[in-house]
Amino acid sequence: KEVVIPDSVVTVGISAFAGCENLSKVTLGANVEVICDYAFYYDINLHCLDSGAQYLDDAYSLAYHGARF
């Protein structure tokens, strides 16, 4: 499964997609500024996080813990 977060979204909330075992790709909109802790926590099939944002350089933070980048 794939999720496209639209440009109108600024914040991906705490645990927004946590535990989504079928999620494999997330495309972030151009205006996403904040990804809260546990947003993609234990999304074990998440292999691709597509973002134009330069601040997403820590793929092992709490937001992505358990994802397999």
Side-chain angles (χ1 to χ4, degrees), residues 2-13 16-17 25-35 40 50-53 55:
E2 180 178 344
V3 170
V4 177
I5 299 175
D7 291 343
S8 59
V9 173
V10 175
T11 300
V12 178
F17 297 96
K25 180 178 180 182
V26 174
T27 302
L28 297 175
N31 295 316
V32 172
E33 296 177 359
V34 176
I35 297 177
F40 301 102
D50 186 13
S51 170
Y55 62 88

Side-chain angles (χ1 to χ4, degrees), residues 5-68:
I5 299 175
D7 291 343
S8 59
V9 173
V10 175
T11 300
V12 178
I14 296 172
S15 300
F17 297 96
C20 294
E21 294 179 2
N22 294 321
L23 186 60
S24 62
K25 180 178 180 182
V26 174
T27 302
L28 297 175
N31 295 316
V32 172
E33 296 177 359
V34 176
I35 297 177
C36 295
D37 286 348
Y38 307 104
F40 301 102
Y41 196 73
Y42 277 104
D43 292 351
I44 60 174
N45 290 304
L46 182 58
H47 300 288
C48 181
L49 183 66
D50 186 13
S51 170
Q54 296 177 0
Y55 62 88
L56 296 175
D57 58 359
D58 183 4
Y60 297 101
S61 73
L62 282 176
Y64 318 103
H65 184 78
R68 298 178 184 184

